[in-house]
């Protein structure tokens, strides 16, 4: 057990801290709205140039080209969190498509897509879930029928974030309806301005449209958009889902929210008494602090496993389930602590923290469901972590 | 930067695990619960041979020169096998006394001194209990003392939070749900205080963390037993472990236990590094681990169905071990309050 940083890494931390501090004025502010605002793109370009994002991506594709170093990535993330300087872009294109293309894309696909994606010039959305294919993603029915050099796509996707802004989609389609469900799927890329695509915003319980529905009617797309091979899309998708689960349940983000909650409970008073002086609320706060400590330690443990290129085992499998639940409980306590003011939502005189606790309480429930529901996570923990038997398959297939 | 166990620590863990599996089977534990002194001596002798009492004692005083992280690994193995032992009391005493009375610490390493500890004055005083120290003499009672029944020395805490070493006098056994371990009410009358240490909080933090590690081991054992049982037991023509209702109970236990393991390691490391946060972490680790262990004890019993309720299977020994650990030296709610005070969120 050694939680200290070697001189090389301490120096790296100081270097990153100094860079962020000296250049914070270049970062976009909340007024610079729009995914492609020039200030946002310029900031991204600066960060890539300094190796603060796209760090381990080869220079030939627009990355910084450093050796992969998990510890340095962590230091960078921590310094962004500590300084409060706006983070690099992190859409689904950057976090999920780019790693997939690096692993399985053709040279042409890498050449064409990675650089503009990294620089924020090309926005992507993910076409995975369908109304009839949620936890059972492999049962998806959006069809792609071959026609010369093209596929003709018909069907519907749902839970598609940034579909309205996206230039491109990475999409799972059924290319072989006769094959077993995992074997007839293809992973394909195509432009969102292709005729026949309709995007409808999907308003969720938070009151905003964080997601969309996407409808495909005779959408003709070139076969050159296939990643890896036709009918091998399930393998390709699994490569990206691994990246998504890694994003959910980051213990540093949880810690930051907990610290915010402590500040709130120290600052706010009811009947002249600080919220933190209420023993029942304080007890719940301390119970959550224990869980935050546990998830942070668990995060250090899984990071060490990754550094050693070992499997983190159960410690890794539980992160999404436990992390999302903990975030939800932190928001829940903030609302309870705020009492009747906890229900205020939307601009108004008595609103606290811009209504963000209510927003998080609702949105976090979405994250408990999205990216593999809590129930699916429990199946994974039981089957892969505890080696328990799988649910017997029904004899008859629908 | 490396968060994990060293090769030596893994080896230590394997050694103690093997000792527990081979030398402390449930049959032996049952005998101890029935009051068989020879059975208990088998454990003490075995642990002495492994040199476990000297784990945290510096090498120059005859110990292994290791730290709290190593001690919690040992304690976890003892909890796994519900092994009654004086390990916890000896570790707390030797780490408290290592800079104060090196002779006594050497005796612990050599197996000549065996400590009982009574720290309850730091946490709760009930039914008129409490120890007072006047002109170097200790009088009064202290409840739920650990390993006092065959101790050569006692480490006790007085009403002002000071620690003292004294010779055992009278005690009364307090029967609990857990008959594998002995808990006593100390009755002291003008017992001479040999050594006094001003601040008892460090000792309390260590004792709490060791109890947390013990409950971690118990929880892991109960999860393993539940999973094993669910893979064998058949109903409706299937092993019950293939039903999601049962699988999810097991997954929930694992999901709660696994982060506790990292937390306890981290808290032990913080004590070894003498970090400011160390006591807060130790108190919260025990509070949280106790809640998780209570959930696991109940859930594992349910997975075992009716068999979990029987004496035959013996799962109840594990159930009772965490039940007692939970209440010893601070219930979860008390410890959370202590953690809030220790980090200055509220006044004491």
């Amino acid at each position: 057990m050694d939680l200290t940083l070697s001189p090389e890494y301490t120096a790296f931390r100081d270097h990153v801290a100094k860079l962020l501090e000296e250049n914070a004025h270049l970062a976009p502010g909340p007024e610079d709205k729009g995914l492609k605002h020039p200030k946002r793109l310029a900031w991204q370009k600066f960060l890539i140039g300094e190796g603060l994002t796209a760090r381990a991506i080869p220079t030939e594709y627009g990355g910084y080209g450093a050796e992969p170093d998990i510890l340095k990535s962590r230091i960078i993330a921590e310094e962004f969190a500590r300084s409060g300087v706006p983070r690099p872009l992190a859409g689904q294109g950057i976090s999920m498509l780019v790693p997939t293309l690096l692993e399985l894309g053709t040279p042409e696909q890498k050449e064409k897509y990675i650089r503009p994606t990294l620089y924020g010039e090309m926005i992507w959305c993910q076409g995975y879930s369908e109304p009839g294919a949620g936890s059972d993603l492999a049962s998806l029915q959006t069809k792609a029928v071959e026609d010369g050099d093209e596929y003709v796509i018909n069907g519907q996707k749902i839970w598609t974030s940034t579909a309205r802004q996206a230039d491109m989609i990475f999409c799972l389609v059924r290319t072989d309806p006769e094959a077993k469900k995992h074997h007839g799927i293809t992973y394909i890329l195509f432009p969102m301005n292709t005729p026949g695509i309709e995007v409808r915003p999907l308003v969720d319980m938070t009151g905003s449209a964080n997601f969309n529905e996407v409808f495909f009617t005779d959408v003709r797309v070139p076969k050159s958009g296939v990643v890896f091979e036709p009918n091998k899309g399930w393998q390709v998708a699994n490569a990206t889902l691994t990246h998504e689960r890694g994003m959910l349940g980051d213990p540093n983000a949880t810690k930051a929210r907990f610290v915010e909650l402590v500040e709130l409970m120290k600052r706010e008073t009811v009947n002249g008494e600080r919220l933190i002086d209420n023993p029942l609320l304080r007890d719940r706060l301390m119970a959550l602090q224990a869980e935050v400590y546990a998830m942070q330690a668990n995060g250090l443990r899984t990071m060490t496993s990754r550094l050693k290129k070992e499997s983190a085992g159960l410690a890794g499998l539980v992160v999404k389930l436990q992390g999302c639940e903990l975030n939800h409980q932190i928001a829940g306590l903030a609302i309870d602590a705020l009492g009747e003011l906890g229900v205020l939502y939307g601009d108004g005189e008595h609103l606290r923290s811009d209504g963000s606790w209510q927003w998080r309480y609702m949105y976090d429930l979405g994250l408990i469901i999205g990216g593999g529901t809590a129930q699916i996570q429990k199946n994974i923990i039981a089957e892969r972590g505890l080696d328990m038997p799988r649910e017997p398959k029904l004899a008859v297939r629908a | 930067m490396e968060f994990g166990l060293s090769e030596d620590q893994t080896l230590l863990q394997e050694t103690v695990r093997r000792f527990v599996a081979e030398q402390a089977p449930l049959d032996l534990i049952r005998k101890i619960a029935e009051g068989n002194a020879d059975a208990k001596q088998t454990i003490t002798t075995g642990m002495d041979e492994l040199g476990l009492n000297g784990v945290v004692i510096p090498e120059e005083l005859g110990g292994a020169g290791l730290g709290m992280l190593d001690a919690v690994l040992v304690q976890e193995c003892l909890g796994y096998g519900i092994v009654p032992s004086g390990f916890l009391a000896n570790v707390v005493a030797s780490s408290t006394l290592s800079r104060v009375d090196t002779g006594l610490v050497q005796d612990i390493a050599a197996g000549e001194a065996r400590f009982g500890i009574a720290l309850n004055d730091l946490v709760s005083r009930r039914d008129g209990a409490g120890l007072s120290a006047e002109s170097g003499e200790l009088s009064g009672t202290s409840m739920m003392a650990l390993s006092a029944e065959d101790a050569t020395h006692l480490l006790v805490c007085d009403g002002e939070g000071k620690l003292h070493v004294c010779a055992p006098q009278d005690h009364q056994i307090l029967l609990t749900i857990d008959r594998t371990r002995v808990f006593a009410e100390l009755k002291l009358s003008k017992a001479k205080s040999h050594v006094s240490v001003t601040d008892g909080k460090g000792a309390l933090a260590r004792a709490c963390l060791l109890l947390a590690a013990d409950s971690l081991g118990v929880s892991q054992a109960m999860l393993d037993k539940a999973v094993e049982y669910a893979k064998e037991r058949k109903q409706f023509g299937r092993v019950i472990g293939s039903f999601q209702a049962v699988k999810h109970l097991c997954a929930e236990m694992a999901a709660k236990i696994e982060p506790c393991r990292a937390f306890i390691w981290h808290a032990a490391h913080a004590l070894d590094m003498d970090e400011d946060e160390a006591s807060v972490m130790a108190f919260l680790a025990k509070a949280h681990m106790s809640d998780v262990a209570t959930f696991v004890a109940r859930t594992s019993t349910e997975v075992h169905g009716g068999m979990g309720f029987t004496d035959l299977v013996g799962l109840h020994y594990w159930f009772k071990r965490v039940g007692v650990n939970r209440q010893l030296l601070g219930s979860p709610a008390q410890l959370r309050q202590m953690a809030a005070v220790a980090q200055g969120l509220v006044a004491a």
Side-chain angles (χ1 to χ4, degrees):
Chain A
M1 189 76 77
D2 176 8
L3 303 185
T4 57
L5 289 176
S6 69
E8 182 200 345
Y9 288 100
T10 315
F12 182 74
R13 181 185 288 282
D14 294 344
H15 165 71
V16 174
K18 192 159 168 260
L19 261 179
L20 291 181
E21 192 189 327
E22 286 175 356
N23 295 286
H25 63 281
L26 299 174
E31 68 283 4
D32 303 319
K33 290 194 198 312
L35 291 179
K36 291 184 183 171
H37 190 284
K39 244 185 138 175
R40 289 177 65 128
L41 300 193
W43 180 237
Q44 179 73 358
K45 191 175 174 188
F46 169 77
L47 295 177
I48 294 174
E50 296 294 344
L52 297 181
T53 191
R55 187 173 169 83
I57 293 170
T59 46
E60 56 175 317
Y61 305 126
Y64 179 75
E67 284 293 305
D69 187 327
I70 293 165
L71 200 46
K72 283 189 178 166
S73 304
R74 184 187 163 93
I75 288 170
I76 293 170
E78 284 174 352
E79 285 307 310
F80 272 105
R82 199 185 51 76
S83 62
V85 176
R87 290 164 189 275
L89 300 179
Q92 284 176 320
I94 292 173
S95 56
M96 294 175 70
L97 177 76
V98 168
T100 305
L101 286 184
L102 283 170
E103 208 174 312
L104 299 167
T106 63
E108 293 75 25
Q109 287 167 341
K110 292 180 187 173
E111 180 64 35
K112 190 170 169 190
Y113 297 126
I114 294 180
R115 182 184 298 267
T117 304
L118 292 179
Y119 282 79
E121 293 153 6
M122 186 180 281
I123 310 288
W124 292 80
C125 62
Q126 176 203 63
Y128 280 15
S129 295
E130 296 179 5
S135 293
D136 183 13
L137 181 60
S139 71
L140 58 93
Q141 293 299 327
T142 293
K143 275 195 183 59
V145 178
E146 284 186 72
D147 184 15
D149 290 342
E150 297 179 321
Y151 281 111
V152 182
I153 300 176
N154 281 284
Q156 182 195 344
K157 295 290 174 183
I158 193 170
W159 306 119
T160 321
S161 36
T162 64
R164 277 162 289 162
Q165 299 86 357
D167 303 291
M168 295 286 295
I169 183 168
F170 53 101
C171 194
L172 294 179
V173 292
R174 183 156 304 282
T175 37
D176 184 353
E178 301 304 315
K180 280 190 180 173
K181 62 180 182 180
H182 293 89
H183 300 283
I185 296 170
T186 297
Y187 187 111
I188 188 166
L189 319 174
F190 51 90
M192 282 297 283
N193 63 4
T194 313
I197 301 179
E198 187 197 346
V199 178
R200 290 185 206 159
L202 182 63
V203 176
D204 58 59
M205 68 191 293
T206 66
S208 13
N210 292 294
F211 301 94
N212 303 275
E213 292 176 289
V214 181
F215 296 84
F216 304 109
T217 312
D218 295 331
V219 177
R220 303 189 79 89
V221 304
K223 281 183 174 172
S224 58
V226 172
V227 176
F228 197 44
E229 288 170 30
N231 299 321
K232 294 279 170 66
W234 188 251
Q235 277 166 255
V236 183
N238 268 328
T240 40
L241 280 177
T242 320
H243 294 292
E244 182 174 55
R245 290 210 178 111
M247 281 157 60
L248 299 170
D250 169 19
N252 289 319
T254 303
K255 170 81 187 289
R257 287 188 193 193
F258 177 78
V259 170
E260 249 185 87
L261 173 58
V262 174
E263 291 308 314
L264 178 85
M265 287 178 60
K266 281 159 82 172
R267 191 173 62 229
E268 289 283 333
T269 59
V270 175
N271 301 331
E273 182 191 62
R274 292 189 312 161
L275 296 179
I276 204 159
D277 291 327
N278 176 316
L280 296 178
L281 294 174
R282 184 168 67 240
D283 186 65
R284 284 173 62 186
L285 183 73
M286 290 298 96
L288 291 178
Q289 185 178 34
E291 299 217 36
V292 172
Y293 269 125
M295 291 314 290
Q296 275 189 294
N298 193 67
L300 290 171
R301 187 178 170 205
T302 52
M303 186 185 75
T304 298
S305 300
R306 289 209 307 279
L307 285 169
K308 293 174 152 179
K309 301 198 190 325
E310 293 169 358
S311 160
L314 267 173
L317 295 177
V318 305
V319 169
K320 199 260 170 184
L321 179 69
Q322 295 300 97
C324 290
E325 178 62 32
L326 179 54
N327 287 341
H328 194 234
Q329 287 187 19
I330 290 171
L333 175 55
I335 292 167
D336 276 359
L338 284 169
E340 75 277 30
L341 297 189
V343 299
L344 297 180
Y345 197 58
D347 292 338
E349 189 184 353
H350 302 289
L351 187 69
R352 300 297 202 273
S353 312
D354 296 325
S356 63
W357 293 111
Q358 275 293 356
W359 189 86
R360 284 170 178 175
Y361 186 72
M362 291 187 271
Y363 194 76
D364 285 346
L365 183 53
L367 292 181
I368 287 172
I369 298 164
T373 64
Q375 289 66 39
I376 292 290
Q377 298 302 322
K378 288 177 192 173
N379 282 352
I380 293 172
I381 293 166
E383 289 165 14
R384 295 190 208 155
L386 301 174
D387 198 25
M388 295 184 80
R390 296 179 69 93
E391 189 84 357
K393 289 260 168 11
L394 290 177
V396 184
R397 269 193 65 205
Chain B
M1 169 74 212
E2 182 172 350
F3 186 97
L5 304 181
S6 67
E7 270 179 44
D8 285 349
Q9 284 165 336
T10 309
L11 195 67
L12 173 69
Q13 223 178 10
E14 278 167 19
T15 308
V16 182
R17 205 174 277 157
R18 197 177 321 117
F19 163 72
V20 168
E22 289 170 6
Q23 306 292 316
L26 183 55
D27 287 349
L28 187 89
I29 305 293
R30 283 186 193 274
K31 283 183 190 158
I32 295 173
E34 287 156 10
N36 183 325
D38 291 344
K40 198 169 175 185
Q41 189 55 44
T42 315
I43 304 276
T44 309
T45 309
M47 292 190 55
D48 283 354
E49 282 167 5
L50 289 174
L52 292 179
N53 286 324
V55 164
V56 300
I57 296 173
E59 283 174 288
E60 61 271 24
L61 299 180
L66 304 174
M68 273 306 283
L69 180 54
D70 307 272
V72 299
L73 296 176
V74 173
Q75 189 69 53
E76 183 193 338
C77 296
L78 297 174
Y80 193 94
I82 49 166
V83 180
S85 85
F87 180 75
L88 187 152
N90 283 330
V91 168
V92 172
S94 49
S95 51
T96 305
L97 299 172
S98 64
R99 288 184 208 129
V100 187
D101 190 330
T102 50
L104 206 43
V105 173
Q106 273 175 316
D107 290 347
I108 297 176
E112 284 159 18
R114 297 189 191 279
F115 265 81
I117 58 169
L119 304 178
N120 222 23
D121 269 39
L122 285 167
V123 186
S124 78
R125 293 169 156 209
R126 309 290 292 269
D127 291 356
L131 291 174
S132 59
E134 272 175 47
S135 47
E137 290 180 335
L138 296 153
S139 296
T141 63
S142 183
M143 293 229 262
M144 299 303 279
L146 310 180
S147 305
E149 70 280 10
D150 37 32
T152 58
H153 297 72
L154 298 173
L155 179 73
V156 303
C157 179
D158 69 22
E160 286 161 17
K162 279 187 193 161
L163 297 177
H164 305 267
V165 174
C166 68
Q169 291 183 338
D170 196 17
H171 72 257
Q172 185 185 327
I173 305 295
L174 299 170
L175 292 180
T176 71
I177 50 172
D178 177 6
R179 298 297 164 88
T180 68
R181 293 181 292 179
V182 177
F183 302 96
E185 179 178 7
L186 297 184
K187 295 171 186 286
L188 300 180
S189 173
K190 298 193 171 178
K192 192 171 179 309
S193 165
H194 297 294
V195 186
S196 111
V197 182
T198 322
D199 187 8
K201 282 278 163 56
L204 182 63
R206 285 179 157 75
C208 281
L209 191 63
L210 288 165
L211 285 169
D214 195 77
S215 290
L216 171 65
V218 178
S219 300
Q220 186 63 52
M222 292 192 90
L223 169 62
D224 290 351
K225 287 172 193 295
V227 170
E228 195 185 337
Y229 185 79
K231 286 180 188 172
E232 284 170 7
R233 168 77 174 170
K234 281 189 179 167
Q235 288 287 275
F236 304 103
R238 290 156 59 174
V239 291
I240 61 169
S242 68
F243 291 107
Q244 282 195 337
V246 174
K247 244 154 72 168
H248 284 193
L249 290 179
C250 294
E252 283 165 18
M253 288 191 270
K256 287 177 194 287
I257 291 171
E258 209 51 40
C260 288
R261 186 183 316 281
F263 186 11
I264 288 168
W265 291 357
H266 197 183
H269 182 70
L271 279 167
D272 284 335
M273 295 289 111
D274 214 6
E275 284 172 18
D276 294 339
E277 276 179 282
S279 323
V280 171
M281 290 172 82
F283 296 153
L284 288 179
K286 179 175 184 273
H288 181 55
M289 188 68 240
S290 296
D291 282 342
V292 169
T294 302
F295 168 80
V296 170
R298 178 227 156 108
T299 307
S300 172
T301 305
E302 281 191 57
V303 169
H304 281 80
M307 293 312 289
F309 189 63
T310 64
D311 179 53
L312 182 71
V313 168
L315 194 69
H316 66 92
Y317 285 110
W318 281 264
F319 184 100
K320 290 166 182 169
R321 177 107 161 187
V322 293
V324 170
N325 284 355
R326 179 185 172 96
Q327 310 305 133
L328 286 178
L329 296 179
S331 66
Q334 278 179 302
L335 290 166
R336 288 194 281 264
Q337 171 64 6
M338 285 158 61
V341 171
Q343 60 191 305
L345 290 175
V346 280

